[in-house]
């Protein structure tokens, strides 16, 4: 369909006679009225814009970057636009020479209020962040000539509801459509890789068809796509990145074919509606049962189904609990960790909001960051001897945690480890701990008295900040303990016992 535009040529003499009127009002077919100062209008030309039109650079509203003797890249849209249609021409004339427009450059339309874009150009490339944060963009047809869609190309385009990716694109780059309004997307069979966060936070409807030909789905590619109910993997997919489908709260079942042989941590965690994992019996690396997803010999628990309720006893075959394995299991009230377990991964039990107490056996020698992050009803934790450290964010936001016994084997207390534990009234830091991390006890307003043993030589910034009821005794001299100006900010008192 042709588009009619007008151009104003400022070097001719159409309107040199005096007039009683200063403004020229033009009513367009859509009913909108455009006003121009008639004193500056000297010629008006009407043109049909189509697939063969050559536009002079001075009338395009764009800046262009010359790529080769015959091609240019649209590098910037120069004008503020409000609820307008923008036309990207096939060819432009620059200093009398004609060039093909083959690329839209990095950030060319970033934060533009354009609503509708017609691209006549035979583009091969849409650059990184090209249309990012075009909040009003509702319609764009990606030309069939496009081979590459750059990183973050449509990031934050939350009015964009659907898009068809043309055949020939082999990679959907990282964050290409992250945070957009996409409800539907058609992925061509030419795509081999779906990049990290490519469709993260998109309100995709029900089912996403991954075509035969896709080999890799990147980390967090569909993370937090809340309305996604079903995903079908073709036999070509071999690799899923970390948290690929994390937080897809309407996803009810997952079927893993024999060819899917690499699954990243947390790829299927945080799925609160998930009722079933099915793994092909001939898959060489993975298995499942009625509770969750495991490695082949069931020594590593990768993810439990989100709808599991009540008490969960981890099988005695398990030696490792994977990253995010129980993340978001809001119906679990109790978890039993057997003494066969030696490692617990990052954020393994985060947001398990109905768990009140849990025991970590002495066999655990490796414990990841944020293991009990935001377990808001957790009141009691037993940490047995043998644990080598309190990890970063280990109990972050555990508002009801009342007391904690830190094992004598722990050498450090990590950053933000007890941040926001408002109910914490008792902590014993054993001799042997050498460092306390940044904001480790920030906002633990229930603490009244605390003794820091002589083994501690480093205390991080804001470790005990804003604890106006807390009196601290440091069993050392001020010169022997490294602190910052904010370490004890607004504490009631700090006393060093050694001069």
């Amino acid at each position: 369909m042709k588009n009619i535009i007008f151009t104003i040529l400022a070097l001719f003499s159409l309107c040199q006679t005096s007039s009683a009127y200063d403004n020229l009002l033009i009513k367009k077919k859509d009913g909108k009225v455009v006003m121009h100062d008639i004193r500056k209008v000297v010629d008006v030309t009407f043109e049909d814009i189509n697939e063969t039109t050559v536009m002079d650079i001075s009338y395009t509203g764009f800046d262009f970057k010359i790529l080769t003797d015959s091609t240019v890249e649209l590098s910037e849209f120069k004008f503020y636009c409000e609820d307008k249609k923008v036309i990207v021409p096939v060819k432009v004339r620059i200093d009398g020479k004609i060039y093909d427009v083959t690329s839209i450059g990095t950030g060319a339309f970033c934060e533009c209020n354009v609503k509708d874009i017609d691209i006549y150009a035979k583009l091969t490339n849409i650059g990184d962040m090209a249309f990012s944060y075009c909040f009003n963009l509702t319609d764009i047809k990606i030309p069939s000539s496009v081979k590459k869609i750059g990183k973050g190309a449509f990031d934050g385009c939350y009015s964009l509801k659907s898009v068809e990716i043309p055949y020939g694109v082999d990679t959907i780059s990282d964050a290409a459509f992250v945070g957009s309004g996409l409800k539907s997307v058609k992925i061509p069979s030419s795509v081999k890789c779906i990049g990290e966060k490519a469709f993260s936070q998109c309100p995709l409807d029900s089912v996403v068809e991954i075509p035969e030909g896709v080999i890799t789905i990147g980390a967090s590619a569909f993370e937090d796509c809340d309305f996604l109910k079903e995903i079908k993997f073709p036999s070509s997919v071999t690799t899923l990145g970390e948290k690929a489908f994390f937080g897809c709260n309407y996803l009810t079942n997952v079927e893993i074919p024999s060819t899917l042989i690499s699954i990243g941590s947390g790829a299927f965690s945080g799925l609160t509606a998930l009722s079933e994992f099915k793994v092909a019996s001939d898959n060489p690396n993975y298995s499942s049962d009625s509770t969750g997803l495991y490695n082949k010999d069931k020594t590593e628990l990768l993810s439990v189904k989100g709808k599991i309720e009540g008490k969960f006893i981890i099988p005695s075959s398990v030696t490792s609990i994977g990253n995010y394995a129980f993340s978001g299991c809001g119906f679990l009230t109790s978890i039993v960790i057997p003494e066969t377990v030696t490692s617990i991964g990052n954020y393994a039990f985060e947001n398990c909001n109905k768990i009140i107490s849990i025991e970590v056996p002495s066999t655990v020698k490796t414990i990841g960051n944020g293991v009990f992050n935001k377990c808001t009803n957790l009141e009691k934790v037993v940490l047995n001897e043998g644990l080598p450290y309190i990890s970063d964010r280990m109990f972050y936001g555990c508002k009801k945690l009342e007391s904690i016994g830190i094992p004598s084997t722990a050498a450090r207390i990590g950053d933000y480890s007890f941040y926001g534990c408002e109910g914490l009234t008792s902590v014993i830091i054993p001799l042997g701990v050498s460092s306390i991390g940044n904001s480790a006890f920030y906002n633990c307003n229930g603490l009244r008295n605390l003794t820091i043993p002589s083994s501690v030589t480093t205390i991080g910034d804001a470790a005990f900040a804003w604890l106006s009821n807390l009196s601290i005794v440091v069993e050392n001299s001020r010169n022997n303990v490294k602190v910052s100006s904010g370490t004890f900010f607004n504490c009631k008192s700090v006393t060093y016992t050694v001069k």
Side-chain angles (χ1 to χ4, degrees):
M1 184 174 66
K2 295 181 179 180
N3 289 275
I4 308 299
I5 69 166
F6 66 88
T7 58
I8 300 172
L9 307 176
L11 298 178
F12 292 82
S13 57
L14 178 67
C15 299
Q16 292 181 338
T17 58
S18 60
S19 171
Y21 302 99
D22 293 333
N23 296 317
L24 172 67
L25 301 179
I26 299 175
K27 187 175 182 181
K28 301 192 296 182
K29 288 183 177 180
D30 61 5
K32 293 183 178 180
V33 176
V34 180
M35 182 174 68
H36 292 278
D37 187 340
I38 200 169
R39 293 167 298 180
K40 297 180 180 180
V41 175
V42 292
D43 195 10
V44 177
T45 302
F46 292 92
E47 298 180 8
D48 290 338
I49 302 300
N50 55 38
E51 290 81 354
T52 61
T53 300
V54 178
M55 292 184 69
D56 193 89
I57 187 174
S58 58
Y59 304 132
T60 63
F62 305 127
D63 279 337
F64 291 91
K65 176 184 176 183
I66 296 174
L67 301 177
T68 70
D69 286 344
S70 60
T71 63
V72 292
E73 175 179 88
L74 192 162
S75 57
E76 184 181 3
F77 183 57
K78 296 188 292 186
F79 301 115
Y80 177 83
C81 54
E82 183 72 38
D83 196 27
K84 303 282 188 187
K85 172 177 280 192
V86 172
I87 298 168
V88 179
V90 178
K91 300 174 184 290
V92 292
R93 184 183 295 105
I94 302 174
D95 296 331
K97 186 172 181 179
I98 296 174
Y99 296 86
D100 292 321
V101 181
T102 60
S103 176
I104 294 178
T106 298
F109 289 88
C110 182
E111 297 183 350
C112 178
N113 289 327
V114 64
K115 182 177 181 180
D116 189 3
I117 298 177
D118 277 354
I119 302 176
Y120 288 114
K122 305 301 182 184
L123 300 178
T124 58
N125 175 66
I126 296 176
D128 297 348
M129 308 294 287
F131 298 96
S132 59
Y133 310 113
C134 289
F135 299 132
N136 293 329
L137 181 62
T138 59
D139 187 29
I140 187 169
K141 183 177 181 181
I142 300 174
S144 60
S145 53
V146 168
K147 303 301 180 187
K148 180 184 177 183
I149 298 173
K151 295 179 180 179
F154 297 91
D155 182 357
C157 295
Y158 54 68
S159 296
L160 186 64
K161 304 303 182 186
S162 66
V163 71
E164 183 173 340
I165 299 169
Y167 185 87
V169 172
D170 63 5
T171 299
I172 300 173
S173 297
D174 297 349
F177 297 93
V178 64
S180 70
L182 285 186
K183 290 187 175 182
S184 64
V185 61
K186 185 174 181 181
I187 301 172
S189 59
S190 59
V191 170
K192 305 301 180 189
C193 175
I194 299 174
E196 296 181 6
K197 292 184 176 291
F199 298 100
S200 178
Q201 301 172 43
C202 293
L204 292 167
D205 283 342
S206 298
V207 181
V208 169
E209 295 278 355
I210 306 294
E212 191 71 39
V214 173
I215 298 171
T216 301
I217 298 174
S220 300
F222 293 90
E223 182 177 357
D224 292 332
C225 290
D226 287 341
F227 300 103
L228 184 61
K229 293 182 179 179
E230 186 178 350
I231 190 77
K232 297 179 180 179
F233 297 111
S235 60
S236 58
V237 173
T238 63
T239 304
L240 291 185
E242 180 176 295
K243 300 178 77 173
F245 294 91
F246 185 94
C248 294
N249 291 324
Y250 280 76
L251 200 60
T252 56
N253 64 80
V254 172
E255 296 188 17
I256 298 171
S258 61
T259 50
L260 182 47
I261 57 175
S262 178
I263 300 175
S265 299
F268 298 110
S269 295
L271 309 184
T272 56
L274 189 69
S275 58
E276 186 178 29
F277 281 107
K278 285 184 180 179
V279 179
S281 59
D282 55 346
N283 188 297
N285 295 337
Y286 300 103
S287 62
S288 63
D289 62 16
S290 60
T291 62
L293 178 66
Y294 299 80
N295 66 346
K296 190 65 176 179
D297 58 6
K298 292 191 175 180
T299 57
E300 182 178 9
L301 173 55
L302 300 173
S303 184
V304 297
K305 60 185 186 182
K307 289 191 75 172
I308 199 164
E309 301 178 1
K311 184 177 182 179
F312 186 88
I313 300 175
I314 295 173
S316 59
S317 62
V318 172
T319 60
S320 176
I321 299 171
N323 298 341
Y324 311 101
F326 290 84
S327 179
C329 290
F331 302 105
L332 281 178
T333 56
S334 176
I335 299 173
V336 178
I337 304 173
E339 292 188 349
T340 54
V341 172
T342 59
S343 70
I344 301 175
N346 297 330
Y347 300 93
F349 303 103
E350 74 165 343
N351 290 318
C352 290
N353 292 326
K354 287 191 176 182
I355 294 176
I356 296 173
S357 65
I358 195 167
E359 180 175 354
V360 178
S362 59
T363 52
V364 173
K365 305 302 180 185
T366 302
I367 195 161
N369 295 332
V371 168
F372 301 104
N373 184 57
K374 298 182 180 178
C375 291
T376 52
N377 284 302
L378 186 64
E379 297 177 3
K380 181 181 178 182
V381 176
V382 177
L383 302 176
N384 285 293
E385 293 296 315
L387 194 68
Y389 50 82
I390 302 298
S391 62
D392 295 349
R393 303 175 70 95
M394 188 168 175
F395 297 100
Y396 185 103
C398 294
K399 297 179 179 181
K400 293 188 177 181
L401 186 65
E402 297 174 353
S403 63
I404 191 74
I406 298 173
S408 62
T409 50
R412 66 177 176 87
I413 297 172
D415 295 344
Y416 302 92
S417 50
F418 295 95
Y419 185 107
C421 293
E422 300 169 0
L424 195 61
T425 59
S426 175
V427 176
I428 298 175
I429 300 175
L431 187 67
V433 171
S434 62
S435 67
I436 299 172
N438 297 328
S439 300
F441 293 91
Y442 189 100
N443 204 29
C444 294
N445 296 317
L447 290 175
R448 296 292 182 269
N449 297 285
L450 183 70
T451 299
I452 298 176
S454 59
S455 57
V456 174
T457 57
T458 302
I459 306 175
D461 188 42
F464 298 95
W466 294 102
L467 305 181
S468 57
N469 296 315
L470 178 62
S471 298
I472 297 176
V473 174
V474 182
E475 295 180 332
N476 212 325
S477 70
R478 174 66 182 83
N479 292 334
N480 288 338
V481 183
K482 182 181 178 182
V483 299
S484 76
S485 59
T487 295
F488 302 110
F489 183 77
N490 204 41
C491 283
K492 183 177 182 181
S493 66
V494 180
T495 303
Y496 291 88
T497 61
V498 179
K499 303 300 183 183

